[in-house]
């Protein structure tokens, strides 16, 4: 079967349109991601200004921040008040549930093992960290 230029044109046009739409969706996702990374770094600055450790995190559901987490280890004198766990607890309180299955976390740095465990226990879907929003993947249970 041979395809003529006339037969290929609609296929090529459809492919170009699909590529353009895919690029637009990716660009929109990057804009949201940048907003959430910036919010995590805002939490880091807040922690530093209060005299705490330089870490911050946010939890996101449906492209909206639902959990805010500046590090509170020093201020609260609580070794478990890492930014990630503060953000998880805030999200759980705001939602009125412990299950955060549809949620994503953005953190200023790679979460420690205890924070990854807390994220897995909450059912967090995915985690990103650092200015480049490096994909840490889904927290592993266990």
């Amino acid at each position: 079967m041979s395809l003529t230029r006339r037969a290929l044109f609609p296929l090529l046009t459809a492919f170009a349109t699909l590529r353009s739409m895919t690029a637009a969706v990716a660009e929109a996702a990057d804009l949201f991601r940048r907003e959430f990374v910036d919010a995590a770094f805002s939490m880091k600055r807040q922690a530093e200004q209060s005299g705490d450790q330089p870490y911050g995190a946010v939890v996101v559901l449906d492209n909206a921040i639902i959990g805010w987490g500046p590090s509170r280890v020093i201020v609260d004198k609580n070794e478990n008040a890492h930014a990630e766990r503060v953000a998880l607890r805030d999200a759980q309180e705001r939602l009125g549930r412990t299950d955060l299955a549809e949620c994503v976390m953005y953190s200023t740095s790679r979460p420690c093992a205890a924070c990854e465990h807390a994220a897995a226990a909450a059912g967090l879907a995915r985690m990103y960290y650092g200015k480049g929003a490096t994909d840490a993947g889904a927290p592993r249970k266990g």
Side-chain angles (χ1 to χ4, degrees):
M1 173 176 151
S2 99
L3 292 174
T4 65
R5 284 186 183 175
R6 179 172 280 151
L8 280 176
F9 184 74
L11 294 173
L12 293 173
T13 302
F15 179 71
T17 301
L18 181 60
R19 278 187 75 188
S20 176
M21 290 172 56
T22 303
V25 168
E27 185 176 333
D30 285 344
L31 288 176
F32 275 121
R33 189 171 295 135
R34 178 58 35 215
E35 174 187 340
F36 304 138
V37 167
D38 290 347
F41 277 88
S42 175
M43 292 291 93
K44 175 187 174 191
R45 286 188 297 280
Q46 182 180 323
E48 291 171 319
Q49 289 169 354
S50 69
D52 218 299
Q53 298 175 332
Y55 302 104
V58 294
V59 175
V60 174
L61 174 64
D62 295 330
N63 291 321
I65 297 173
I66 57 155
W68 301 87
S71 176
R72 306 287 299 164
V73 172
I74 295 169
V75 172
D76 290 354
K77 296 178 177 64
N78 179 352
E79 63 189 35
N80 293 313
H82 290 194
E84 295 84 2
R85 285 182 268 173
V86 171
L88 287 170
R89 283 191 294 271
D90 188 40
Q92 290 168 328
E93 287 175 16
R94 289 173 190 262
L95 292 176
R97 65 180 202 229
T98 58
D99 179 26
L100 300 177
E102 307 94 26
C103 299
V104 176
M105 177 183 287
Y106 292 84
S107 179
T108 56
S109 63
R110 178 78 190 231
C112 71
C115 289
E116 284 188 5
H117 179 73
L124 204 69
R126 199 155 210 87
M127 299 188 326
Y128 296 93
Y129 65 94
K131 285 205 180 277
T134 302
D135 188 351
R140 284 178 256 129
K141 293 192 181 213

